[in-house]
Amino acid sequence: MHALDFIDPGTPAVPEPAAGAVKQVTVEIDGFSVTVPDGTSIMRAASQLGNQIPKLCATSSLKAFGSCRLCLVEIEGRKGYPASCTTTVADGMKIRTQSEKLGQLRGNVLELYLSDHPSEAECCSSNNRCELHEMAAAAGVSESRYSLSGVDGIAAGRTHQHSSKDESNPYFVFNQDACIVCSRCVRACDEVQGTFALTIEGRGFDSKVSASQAESFLDSECVSCGACVEACPTTALTEKSVLSLGKAEQAIATTCAYCGVGCTFKAEMKGEQVIRMVPYREGHANHGHACVKGRFAYGYATHADRITKPMIRSKITDPWREVSWDEAINYAAAEFKRIQAKYGRDSVGGITSSRCTNEETFLVQKLVRAAFGNNNVDTCARVCHSPTGYGLKNTIGESAGTQEFDSVMQADVIMLIGANPTEGHPVFASQMKRRLRQGAKLIVIDPRQIKLVRTPHIEADYHLQLRPGTNVALMNSIAHVIVTEGLAHDEYITDRCEAQSWEKWQAFVSDPKNSPEAMEAITGVPAMAVRAAARLYGSAPNGAIYYGLGVTEHSQGTTMVMAIANLAMATGNLGRVGVGVNPLRGQNNVQGSCDMGSFPHEFSGYRHVSDDAVRATFESEWGVELDSEPGLRIPNMFEAALDGSFRALYIQGEDIAQSDPNTNHVTAALTAMECVVVQDLFLNESAKFAHVFFPGSSFLEKNGTFTNAERRIGRVRKVMQPLGGLEDWEATVRFSNALGYPMSYTHPSQIMDEIAALTPTFTGVSYEKLDKLGSIQWPCNEAAPDGTPTMHIGQFVRGKGKFFVTDYVPTREKTTSRFPLLLTTGRILTQYNVGAQTRRTLNVVWHDEDRLEIHPHDADVRGILEGDWVGIASRAGETVLRAQVTDRVQPGVVYTTFHFPESGANVVTTDNSDWATNCPEYKVTAVQVVKVNQPSEWQKRYHELTERNTRIRRDADVHV
Amino acid sequence: MHIDYLVRMANDIGAFFANEEDKKVAAASIRQHIHRYWDPRMRSRIIAYYNETGGGELEGPVRAAIQQLAEETAAKA
C-alpha cells in the first residue's frame, strides 16, 4: 500500500542523461496537450495532466510490466488497445484513455479479478486500501459475472480463496487470498531491494507468490525491507500494525534515526500513534526505499523500558530516586559546580551523540565550552570515523565524503573497503547493487566474505581477503601498481596537487618494498590479484571508493584514510560525479555531530580552537571567553578519571560502557567519577555508573536535523510529545541555565540560525530552506545557495591536494602462541550499534544473540561444534559466546557483532588506538578461543552489577 | 595520567613520521601534532617525564619533539 498522500504516476521517470538533454515530446491525451521527456510512458504522461489511468500491476518504483491489462488506451491511427504503461509517447500522438470499448474491456478484466478475490468487506475490514476494489468502484463494477458460487447451474470453478496466511514475519502478513499475482512484490524485491527472495511459483492457475523455495517469509532469504509490502496493490501483503491499528490520518515527513544513509520517511500517524513508517519517494537519499530497521523497528520508542522520569542518587550502588526535572537539573548543576570548585575548571566534560540532532549536539558542545569553560567535549565519532575527519582534512581539505549517494549510478568501478553495506547501510547497498547489475565492476577489500562478494546477480570481480590490520600495506601495494604501471593521471596531478608531495609519494610507493609481491607475505593477498584489481581501478573512467569502519578502526586508521585519498588523487578520481572517496558513516548523525564542533580541538566547521579569529567570533556571539587549548578526547577522559583529574561527565545519548573498547577500563573510569549524568531513552550500560539520569527523547519526539553520510541535512519532525516531558535540547538549555550560563532558545530552528551564523559551510542553511528544498548538502552558502552534491570540483577545498607518505606500521597487537587468532568485529542487518533500540523490537527474531564466527579448520582443532559455548580471551579480558562455524571468515580470524551488552565483545577489545585520533583498534584483537561450559567471570559480575545498579525506588514503593 | 599510556601514544605518532628523512622536520611535525591535539595536562605530564628522566622510552625524533615542548614551556614560565 502506498503512502497516505502519494499519487502514483505508474512508471518511473526517464533518467536524466549524464550529458546533454533528453528530447521533449508533445502528445495529446483526451484533448489535452502535454510535453514530456522522450521515453516516458503514456501512463506517466497522463498522470502529469492529473489523469490517473486505471492500473494494477504498474507503480512508479518499478519498470513497466504490462500484465494486468487494465491500463489499455486507444491511439489514433493505431490498431488495438495497447497498455499505456509499456507504450511510450511519440510526437504528435493522440490518445484516448476513456471510451465505451475501453470501459467494457476494463470492466471484464475487473470482473475476472474480483471472481477470485475477497469481498470488499473482507478485504478492507481494517480500512485498508485495496487498489482492486478502488479500480472496480471507479469503473462502476460491483459484481462479477464469474461468480465464486457458480452461475445458472454451472458449478463454481476453482479459486484461490481460503488458502492459509503466512504470518511468520513479525511485521507483515502475506494473505494469498487477496493476491492477484501482479508480480509487483516480486519485482520490488528484485529491482528495488535487489535480494531476489520472491518468485512466482507454478504456471497458469497454480501461479503463486513464493518466498525462496516455497518457504515461509521468515525462513526465506527475505530481508524484511518491506518494499514488497509497499508495492502490493491489494491487501495480500499488509503491515501487521495497519491490521491492528487501522489506517493513518496524517503523514509527516521526517528522517530515520538509524544508519548514516539517513532515509526520509513519512511517519503515518493517528493522533500521537505511529501507524507505520513509509519511505518517502521524494527523499533524496533513499528514493522511496527503506530497510527492516527504519521501516519497521520503531517500537522501541514506546517500549515499556523507556525511562520517563528524571532520577538521581548519591552513590551508584544506591537505588535510583525519581525526582522532578528541576530537582534533577539543580542537583547536576550543583554537583558540577562543586566539583569544578574543588578540582578545577578542567575536571568536568561532556559527550555528544551521533544519535542526537545537530541542534542538540551543537548545544552540548556549547554548554561545555561556554558554561563549563573548557574544551572537554568529544563525540562517539571518536570511536568510529575520527580518522576520516583527520585524513581527508589533511589531504583534500574537508572532513567529509565527496559525493552524493546517487553518484554511484555513474561509477564504473567500485572499490569497497572494510564496509558491509548490505548489513550496515542497506538502502545504499540496494542502490549500489542496482549499479552493479547494470555492469559496474566491484573490488571488495575485506578480511571476511561479505554478502556483496557473491549475491544473486552480483559477483565481485576481486575479493582481496587480507589479514586484519594490513590495510595500509595492501593500499600501498595497489598504489605501487598504479604508479609503476603508468596508470597515474599525470595531467590531473600536475594541475590539482602539490608537486613536491606527489614526487615524494610516488617515489615512496614505487619502492619495491611496497610491491604486491613484497607485501603478499604481510597481507596474505596473492600479488596477481592485487595487480589485477589495481589495474581495474586505475583504468576505470570513473572509479569510486566506498569505505567503512574496517578502514578507520585500526592503529593506522588515519594513515589508511590518507592512503585512500592518495590513490583517488593519483588516478584523478575526485571532483566529479561517479567517483570520489565516500566514508559510509555508521550512525545517523555521525557527520553532523562532527560538523557541529563536537571534537575537543575544534569549533563547528572544523576550525581549531587555537585560531584567534575564529574563537573571537564565538566569544562575541556567546558573550564569554573561550579556552584556546584542546580538551580531552573520550579515551583521555578515562585516563584522567583514573588519575583523579577528571570527575564529572555529561553524556547525551551515548553508551560508552558498551560501545567503547576495553570495558573493564571504561567502567573503572566511570566508577572513579563523582558525578556522571546520563541522558538516554533507557537505563543503558553507562547509566549503571551514573548519578543523574535525564530521560531522553526519541527522534519521533523532537524537532531538529540529522546530517547523513553524503553531507545531507534533513529535517527531523516531532510527531508525538516527548514521553519524558522535554526534548533533549530543552534539558541542555535548562542545565546551562542552572549552571549560570543563560540560554533562551524556544525552538531548534533558532539553534540552526546560530550554527549558520557561526559556520562558513552552513551560512545558507535554515529551516525555511530545508522545508522548501527537502534537504540540503553542505557546504550551503553564498557560493552554493542550494548546497553542494559533489565537492572538490575544479580544485580541492584545501587548494592543491596533498599526498602523504603512508608507511605500513604493524599494529602492536600481535598473535602469539597464547593468543593465536585475530578477532575482528562488525554488524548485522537487523540490529543497530549497541542494540539499545533494535533489541527492544521484534528484530530479535532474526538475531537474538551475538555469535562468534570461526572457520571450520580452527573450530575442528579446538573440538568446537556449531552452537558450542566458547571462551574468547585477549590480553584485555575474557568473555563467552556461542560459536558459529563458517568459512565466511578465513582460518586464523574470528568475528563477532557487539549488539548485546551481555556478550561483552568489548571486554575483549584492547585500548590500542589510531596514532592521530585515538580511534580504538576494534578490528584487530589477538585472542584464544576454547570450548567452555559456563559464562565468563565478567559475565557473572555483569549480571550481579545489573541487578544492583539499576534498582529504581519509586514513590509508590516508599509508601508501602 | 599514566605515563606509559602517553609515551605509547607519542611513539605511535612518531611512527607515522618515521619515513621523514629530515629528522628535524619529523620532530617538528610530531611536536605540532601533540601541541594541537593533546590536552594541556597530558602535555605537561609527558614534559615532566622528559625533564625527570630524559625520556628514554621516547623513540627517535619523538624525544626531540618533547624536548621542544619542554623548552617552550620553560621559556613561558
Side-chain angles (χ1 to χ4, degrees):
Chain A
M1 180 173 53
H2 290 318
L4 200 59
D5 53 356
F6 176 66
I7 293 169
D8 187 355
T11 63
V14 175
E16 280 179 34
V22 186
K23 187 185 148 205
Q24 297 293 308
V25 170
T26 301
V27 296
E28 196 182 290
I29 301 176
D30 296 335
F32 294 95
S33 172
V34 64
T35 303
V36 291
D38 194 15
T40 303
S41 71
I42 292 173
M43 180 179 280
R44 193 177 176 94
S47 168
Q48 207 158 303
L49 288 166
N51 180 347
Q52 306 302 319
I53 298 175
K55 61 181 184 295
L56 282 172
C57 74
T59 182
S60 65
S61 56
L62 305 173
K63 279 184 257 171
F65 196 54
S67 87
C68 76
R69 313 315 292 170
L70 216 58
C71 70
L72 311 181
V73 292
E74 293 171 6
I75 301 170
E76 201 174 285
R78 293 199 190 182
K79 283 185 189 166
Y81 306 93
S84 63
C85 61
T86 50
T87 310
T88 54
V89 292
D91 237 339
M93 227 181 215
K94 288 190 173 155
I95 299 144
R96 279 172 59 167
T97 69
Q98 295 291 348
S99 71
E100 197 181 332
K101 184 66 189 169
L102 288 171
Q104 277 172 8
L105 288 169
R106 287 179 192 148
N108 194 42
V109 168
L110 284 164
E111 283 185 88
L112 284 163
Y113 275 123
L114 288 173
S115 73
D116 193 2
H117 196 75
S119 70
E120 192 167 2
E122 287 172 287
C123 200
C124 311
S125 57
S126 57
N127 286 326
N128 199 355
R129 217 177 78 183
C130 171
E131 289 179 34
L132 174 55
H133 284 120
E134 281 182 358
M135 293 298 149
V141 177
S142 56
E143 283 183 12
S144 171
R145 287 171 290 161
Y146 317 103
S147 140
L148 301 179
S149 53
V151 181
D152 298 336
I154 302 167
R158 283 193 297 151
T159 72
H160 296 89
Q161 301 307 295
H162 313 299
S163 354
S164 62
K165 285 181 188 170
D166 179 350
E167 296 182 326
S168 62
N169 184 292
Y171 298 116
F172 60 82
V173 178
F174 176 56
N175 174 10
Q176 205 170 299
D177 291 7
C179 177
I180 57 169
V181 203
C182 65
S183 295
R184 263 160 72 163
C185 54
V186 177
R187 290 182 286 142
C189 193
D190 298 355
E191 295 173 29
V192 178
Q193 166 57 27
T195 293
F196 296 83
L198 301 181
T199 190
I200 302 291
E201 175 196 311
R203 289 286 178 274
F205 184 84
D206 294 329
S207 303
K208 63 175 184 185
V209 170
S210 171
S212 292
Q213 310 295 310
E215 289 169 86
S216 73
F217 270 80
L218 188 64
D219 295 332
S220 75
E221 290 147 312
C222 165
V223 292
S224 196
C225 70
C228 57
V229 179
E230 191 175 336
C232 182
T234 69
T235 54
L237 282 159
T238 307
E239 294 94 341
K240 287 181 177 172
S241 61
V242 173
L243 292 173
S244 63
L245 302 170
K247 203 168 162 182
E249 289 157 353
Q250 58 168 335
I252 300 165
T254 191
T255 304
C256 180
Y258 282 118
C259 78
V261 177
C263 296
T264 313
F265 276 86
K266 285 285 183 85
E268 291 196 350
M269 307 295 299
K270 191 180 240 177
E272 284 198 292
Q273 187 168 40
V274 179
I275 300 297
R276 57 176 194 157
M277 298 293 282
V278 185
Y280 188 28
R281 296 211 189 185
E282 304 299 315
H284 297 117
N286 58 319
H287 305 292
H289 190 37
C291 77
V292 62
K293 294 190 284 278
R295 190 193 291 261
F296 293 124
Y298 52 82
Y300 70 87
T302 48
H303 193 277
D305 287 353
R306 280 284 301 270
I307 303 288
T308 57
K309 290 205 172 67
M311 303 189 295
I312 59 174
R313 58 183 175 185
S314 52
K315 290 203 304 289
I316 61 172
T317 48
D318 288 346
W320 284 106
R321 191 161 62 83
E322 289 179 348
V323 295
S324 67
W325 270 106
D326 275 344
E327 189 174 347
I329 281 174
N330 290 335
Y331 179 81
E335 278 294 278
F336 272 62
K337 281 193 224 170
R338 176 186 69 78
I339 289 164
Q340 282 190 301
K342 190 168 170 191
Y343 302 103
R345 195 181 65 178
D346 297 334
S347 60
V348 305
I351 296 178
T352 76
S353 174
S354 302
R355 291 201 275 271
C356 288
T357 64
N358 284 317
E359 292 75 4
E360 285 163 346
T361 305
F362 184 83
L363 225 51
V364 170
Q365 64 89 33
K366 178 175 177 179
L367 173 89
V368 172
R369 298 188 204 280
F372 295 176
N374 63 47
N375 287 322
N376 294 330
V377 60
D378 206 357
T379 184
C380 48
R382 171 68 52 214
V383 301
C384 70
H385 265 292
S386 51
T388 290
Y390 190 95
L392 296 183
K393 180 92 182 171
N394 280 281
T395 48
I396 57 180
E398 192 56 276
S399 303
T402 61
Q403 312 297 117
E404 64 177 328
F405 288 138
D406 286 353
S407 161
V408 78
M409 297 313 285
Q410 292 185 41
D412 301 301
V413 172
I414 295 167
M415 187 184 276
L416 184 66
I417 314 173
N420 192 1
T422 57
E423 311 295 306
H425 305 87
V427 170
F428 176 65
S430 290
Q431 188 172 25
M432 187 183 270
K433 286 196 283 187
R434 258 198 303 285
R435 180 60 184 160
L436 291 168
R437 290 197 303 274
Q438 290 173 358
K441 304 286 184 194
L442 175 65
I443 301 163
V444 173
I445 300 178
D446 203 294
R448 197 165 153 268
Q449 179 151 356
I450 59 168
K451 266 203 192 121
L452 281 170
V453 171
R454 192 176 154 81
T455 191
H457 296 272
I458 286 164
E459 184 156 21
D461 297 84
Y462 300 100
H463 176 203
L464 309 182
Q465 195 166 10
L466 76 179
R467 286 198 191 106
T470 64
N471 283 338
V472 173
L474 182 68
M475 212 47 162
N476 287 344
S477 65
I478 291 174
H480 176 89
V481 178
I482 301 281
V483 171
T484 57
E485 295 193 8
L487 293 167
H489 194 321
D490 294 332
E491 199 183 324
Y492 181 94
I493 296 161
T494 312
D495 188 35
R496 299 192 48 164
C497 301
E498 281 184 8
Q500 204 188 349
S501 73
W502 159 250
E503 288 305 328
K504 217 165 156 179
W505 180 76
Q506 64 104 13
F508 161 75
V509 294
S510 302
D511 190 318
K513 76 170 186 181
N514 285 319
S515 70
E517 290 73 18
M519 285 298 185
E520 185 173 329
I522 292 168
T523 62
V525 184
M528 285 312 291
V530 176
R531 286 198 178 267
R535 287 170 194 145
L536 182 64
Y537 174 79
S539 50
N542 282 342
I545 300 176
Y546 291 84
Y547 72 86
L549 303 182
V551 160
T552 54
E553 289 177 348
H554 287 276
S555 61
Q556 278 202 291
T558 293
T559 315
M560 180 61 178
V561 172
M562 289 172 159
I564 287 172
N566 288 339
L567 193 69
M569 286 191 290
T571 50
N573 278 316
L574 282 162
R576 63 179 186 279
V577 177
V579 298
V581 172
N582 304 280
L584 295 171
R585 308 288 186 155
Q587 302 195 62
N588 50 332
N589 203 34
V590 173
Q591 182 69 56
S593 69
C594 297
D595 300 341
M596 291 299 103
S598 292
F599 288 136
H601 63 276
E602 61 196 8
F603 293 115
S604 61
Y606 305 100
R607 293 160 301 156
H608 201 274
V609 291
S610 65
D611 184 324
D612 292 339
V614 171
R615 208 171 58 254
T617 63
F618 281 85
E619 286 178 339
S620 115
E621 177 78 25
W622 293 352
V624 61
E625 198 181 321
L626 298 170
D627 193 350
S628 63
E629 290 282 2
L632 295 166
R633 302 157 168 183
I634 293 173
N636 311 150
M637 289 178 188
F638 299 148
E639 294 297 323
L642 290 168
D643 81 8
S645 68
F646 190 76
R647 301 272 179 163
L649 183 59
Y650 169 38
I651 310 170
Q652 184 179 71
E654 257 309 288
D655 195 2
I656 50 178
Q658 188 182 344
S659 63
D660 286 35
N662 197 351
T663 308
N664 287 322
H665 188 69
V666 174
T667 54
L670 285 169
T671 309
M673 292 190 207
E674 293 182 15
C675 184
V676 174
V677 179
V678 166
Q679 184 171 13
D680 206 280
L681 304 178
F682 304 104
L683 267 186
N684 61 15
E685 298 307 304
S686 306
K688 290 174 186 167
F689 305 91
H691 307 81
V692 180
F693 188 90
F694 293 164
S697 53
S698 80
F699 79 114
L700 297 168
E701 297 160 30
K702 57 194 176 191
N703 283 303
T705 56
F706 291 146
T707 306
N708 75 356
E710 38 164 16
R711 294 170 279 105
R712 185 181 299 287
I713 309 160
R715 277 281 274 121
V716 176
R717 292 187 178 84
K718 185 173 177 174
V719 298
M720 58 172 78
Q721 292 305 315
L723 298 186
L726 296 182
E727 299 179 33
D728 290 341
W729 62 272
E730 291 178 305
T732 308
V733 164
R734 286 173 65 168
F735 189 23
S736 189
N737 286 331
L739 282 163
Y741 179 78
M743 290 187 185
S744 59
Y745 311 99
T746 54
H747 191 271
S749 62
Q750 299 157 349
I751 306 172
M752 180 53 85
D753 292 342
E754 185 172 316
I755 295 164
L758 288 167
T759 316
T761 42
F762 274 68
T763 51
V765 180
S766 67
Y767 276 33
E768 197 186 351
K769 194 183 275 183
L770 283 166
D771 286 343
K772 198 173 86 189
L773 300 178
S775 63
I776 300 170
Q777 285 178 275
W778 68 260
C780 172
N781 44 32
E782 264 184 29
D786 290 344
T788 311
T790 310
M791 292 191 81
H792 311 289
I793 294 174
Q795 68 164 3
F796 290 108
V797 170
R798 81 182 291 280
K800 295 272 186 188
K802 184 172 178 182
F803 289 90
F804 277 77
V805 169
T806 54
D807 239 335
Y808 167 62
V809 179
T811 167
R812 294 172 190 279
E813 189 66 10
K814 302 264 195 289
T815 51
T816 58
S817 56
R818 211 173 134 221
F819 301 111
L821 303 171
L822 285 179
L823 169 73
T824 188
T825 59
R827 288 155 196 251
I828 204 157
L829 169 68
T830 50
Q831 297 287 344
Y832 177 71
N833 201 270
V834 294
Q837 294 138 291
T838 44
R839 277 185 281 117
R840 292 181 172 93
T841 69
L842 296 172
N843 277 22
V844 291
V845 306
W846 286 282
H847 184 85
D848 61 357
E849 64 174 336
D850 296 318
R851 295 268 193 129
L852 184 82
E853 291 188 4
I854 183 165
H855 189 272
H857 174 75
D858 292 324
D860 196 40
V861 297
R862 288 169 176 77
I864 293 167
L865 300 173
E866 176 78 18
D868 279 352
W869 291 103
V870 291
I872 306 126
S874 74
R875 294 177 182 94
E878 187 172 353
T879 193
V880 169
L881 295 172
R882 284 205 292 154
Q884 184 171 16
V885 180
T886 169
D887 59 5
R888 271 198 296 270
V889 288
Q890 50 187 309
V893 176
V894 290
Y895 167 91
T896 189
T897 48
F898 60 101
H899 302 302
F900 288 80
E902 60 271 25
S903 302
N906 282 324
V907 175
V908 182
T909 53
T910 68
D911 46 17
N912 289 332
S913 69
D914 172 48
W915 66 270
T917 65
N918 279 152
C919 179
E921 189 175 41
Y922 289 103
K923 300 292 184 183
V924 190
T925 309
V927 296
Q928 177 58 293
V929 175
V930 291
K931 196 168 164 174
V932 295
N933 51 20
Q934 60 175 354
S936 69
E937 284 305 312
W938 177 84
Q939 281 160 319
K940 287 180 202 160
R941 283 203 310 277
Y942 170 83
H943 289 293
E944 285 164 19
L945 187 98
T946 304
E947 187 84 0
R948 191 188 68 199
N949 286 17
T950 59
R951 289 170 298 157
I952 300 174
R953 197 181 68 208
R954 296 203 157 88
D955 286 348
D957 305 333
V958 178
H959 296 304
V960 169
Chain B
M1 205 169 279
H2 213 289
I3 190 61
D4 293 351
Y5 169 74
L6 297 177
V7 167
R8 199 174 63 181
M9 274 171 61
N11 286 337
D12 283 346
I13 297 165
F16 178 77
F17 297 101
N19 196 282
E20 177 57 58
E21 279 168 16
D22 187 337
K23 296 302 161 202
K24 276 190 182 155
V25 173
S29 305
I30 298 162
R31 180 221 152 267
Q32 199 204 0
H33 186 92
I34 291 173
H35 184 73
R36 282 177 75 82
Y37 298 103
W38 283 27
D39 158 276
R41 82 192 78 177
M42 295 162 68
R43 298 198 314 252
S44 47
R45 181 74 185 87
I46 203 162
I47 289 167
Y49 158 78
Y50 172 82
N51 287 337
E52 285 158 23
T53 68
E57 301 286 316
L58 301 169
E59 294 161 6
V62 179
R63 195 183 312 164
I66 304 299
Q67 185 187 349
Q68 278 179 33
L69 285 170
E71 286 165 7
E72 284 163 24
T73 310
K76 268 189 209 163

